[in-house]
Amino acid sequence: LQRAWDLASTLKDKDLFAALGEAALKQLDIPTATRVYRQLGDAGLVMALRKLEGLEDAHLLSGHLALIFDDHAGAQAHFLQSTRPLAALEMRRDLLHWKQALDLAKTLAVEQVPTISREYAKQLEFKELYDQALTFYTSGLHGNPPSTGMPWRGDPPHERLCRSGIAKMKLRTNEVGDGVRLALGSPSCPPDELLCS
């Protein structure tokens, strides 16, 4: 790589520098890759690579580099083999890949399943897949069924959002009786707004 760097510097060829940067990344040579991308003026990539300096776990480093190349499946595989498998879950959450994040959470971090279920439900609701959204809002309650009384007082924000989502989805799926009962007790979803939407 040093000889390639010398040649690219002599020729001042951007394509050669780009090929050298890619080769350095594939060989996990972060210092050379950083120097190359600094020469190319790619500040974003230089900053990303500087955060990876000092990582000793080859799988963790390979996972981050796979992300740079937009290889999400490869990144996940490397993260799962690393000393920090939760990085795979964090990646899927950051990319809003809720289904994959939910599958990973069930084995890596069960305590995150309710929150991920709620976020996945929001995405499904946005896509107008109301039946599926209702399922995931319900599973977001983590076994606490929606009450038909006044469930909203004292609920943590996550539970309020799930119950609010359940009320909206019941209205959207023509379970109007249950939906209205839930909505009437919701401080975050006024019934007027729900019935109009």
Side-chain angles (χ1 to χ4, degrees):
L1 291 181
Q2 183 58 47
R3 290 175 63 195
W5 167 266
D6 293 340
L7 183 61
S9 298
T10 302
L11 297 175
K12 306 276 193 244
D13 185 340
K14 282 195 168 192
D15 292 336
L16 195 53
F17 272 118
L20 174 58
E22 192 171 325
L25 289 175
K26 287 180 178 172
Q27 292 187 25
L28 306 182
D29 185 345
I30 301 303
T32 300
T34 303
R35 192 164 56 148
V36 168
Y37 287 108
R38 187 176 288 124
Q39 178 70 30
L40 287 171
D42 191 337
L45 196 48
V46 169
M47 290 175 65
L49 291 172
R50 299 239 4 224
K51 290 178 184 174
L52 301 180
E53 287 175 2
L55 278 182
E56 294 181 9
D57 183 335
H59 282 294
L60 189 56
L61 182 57
S62 296
H64 285 291
L65 294 178
L67 262 178
I68 289 172
F69 290 115
D70 287 328
D71 178 8
H72 303 143
Q76 178 174 317
H78 282 295
F79 286 142
L80 289 174
Q81 294 176 56
S82 76
T83 55
R84 204 168 159 275
L86 276 176
L89 174 57
E90 291 164 5
M91 174 195 72
R92 291 299 185 182
R93 285 186 76 165
D94 291 345
L95 293 170
L96 307 182
H97 294 171
W98 298 116
K99 185 167 180 8
Q100 295 94 324
L102 193 56
D103 291 341
L104 288 168
K106 287 175 183 174
T107 56
L108 297 174
V110 180
E111 71 281 357
Q112 292 189 34
V113 168
T115 305
I116 293 171
S117 294
R118 185 192 76 222
E119 293 297 329
Y120 189 26
K122 280 171 46 181
Q123 184 182 61
L124 292 167
E125 178 183 352
F126 182 72
K127 292 179 177 178
E128 298 182 3
L129 300 170
Y130 302 127
D131 288 318
Q132 293 174 46
L134 176 59
T135 301
F136 284 100
Y137 275 126
T138 304
S139 70
L141 283 176
H142 203 47
N144 300 330
S147 166
T148 54
M150 299 280 278
W152 312 98
R153 239 179 228 126
D155 279 353
H158 166 76
E159 287 191 22
R160 277 199 304 275
L161 289 170
C162 286
R163 293 181 198 280
S164 168
I166 290 168
K168 289 191 291 182
M169 293 312 98
K170 285 197 178 269
L171 290 172
R172 295 273 192 191
T173 57
N174 294 322
E175 295 180 46
V176 178
D178 285 346
V180 169
R181 274 193 295 278
L182 286 167
L184 288 174
S186 169
S188 59
C189 278
D192 301 346
E193 181 185 309
L194 284 164
L195 293 171
C196 293
S197 60

